[in-house]
Amino acid sequence: MNRIVQNSLASALFSGRPVGIAAAIMRSALSYGMNAIDLTTGNGNDTLLLARLCVHGQVFGIDIQPEAIAESRRLLAENNANATLVCDNHARLFEIIPRELHGRVHGIMANLGYRPGGDPNVITEPETTVSALNLGAMLLAKNGIMTVVCYHGHIGGAEEARAVTEWAEGLPSESFTVQKISILNRPNLPPELIVARRI
Ligand SMILES: C[S@@+](CC[C@H](N)C(=O)[O-])C[C@H]1O[C@@H](n2cnc3c(N)ncnc32)[C@H](O)[C@@H]1O
């Protein structure tokens, strides 16, 4: 890890923004030719980050909402970046990601909840989220990293965050290191970040 990446990881950590910390972790882990997946492409910000980091690799952005795919397509085009956008349920991850990439994915991001500026009723759900995370963990290459940002503030968010924590706690310690970053002194249920790395 070079000094600039180290510094940006440290400043993201101290900013206390889980989304920014997840992005900084991906910046430190991903580079040219690697493969990555955004499990919830939303407005396309994380997919764009992955596409910029993994030039000449394969990047997938998945979202269940056509509006999210359209918005992400617009953002990628505006920034001259490439990713394969798929409008589907991320619980179908094994069918979506080509077989030759299974075990060869270096970064997976999941920013849960609803799309900012979009329909707040379309939110990630515990059961499909945990299925997608489980499958994602199986797709990771050695040293591959998965980041999951969980929100407690919306209806069903706390239940989903609990399900994700339970899933993460159950990952075998001989195959994964798993950490949770949560802000302990902020009111209004701040989001938290789970980071799993395949050993
Ligand atoms: C918080 S937003 C993601 C933000 C995004 N990563 C970005 O950078 O803008 C969460 C997204 O998850 C999507 N979503 C909800 N359930 C889903 C599912 N089962 N499969 C795929 N996407 C889903 C929503 O449509 C929404 O766009």
Side-chain angles (χ1 to χ4, degrees), residues 30 34-38 46-61 76 82-86 97 101:
L30 299 179
M34 290 181 171
N35 306 311
I37 306 169
D38 183 354
D46 295 327
T47 306
L48 175 61
L49 170 76
L50 297 176
R52 281 179 165 156
L53 294 171
C54 298
V55 178
H56 289 289
Q58 293 200 48
V59 173
F60 293 82
L76 289 169
N82 280 320
T84 303
L85 298 174
V86 182
I97 303 301
L101 293 186

Side-chain angles (χ1 to χ4, degrees), residues 102-170:
H102 292 198
R104 295 185 50 225
V105 177
H106 305 90
I108 299 180
M109 300 183 86
N111 185 359
L112 304 179
Y114 58 87
R115 183 171 74 92
D119 183 350
N121 296 312
V122 183
I123 54 169
T124 50
E125 308 275 353
E127 200 178 322
T128 40
T129 296
V130 168
S131 294
L133 298 179
N134 243 332
L135 297 171
M138 291 186 223
L139 295 185
L140 283 177
K142 188 171 172 349
N143 295 328
I145 292 183
M146 183 185 309
T147 59
V148 188
V149 178
C150 305
Y151 298 86
H152 293 254
H154 61 80
I155 292 168
E159 184 199 353
E160 181 176 51
R162 232 181 350 263
V164 172
T165 296
E166 271 169 28
W167 164 79
E169 285 169 350

Side-chain angles (χ1 to χ4, degrees), residues 40-43 45-46 63-65 89-90 111-112 114-115:
T40 55
T41 194
N43 290 325
N45 300 297
D46 295 327
D63 204 290
I64 203 156
Q65 286 188 81
N89 192 321
H90 48 212
N111 185 359
L112 304 179
Y114 58 87
R115 183 171 74 92

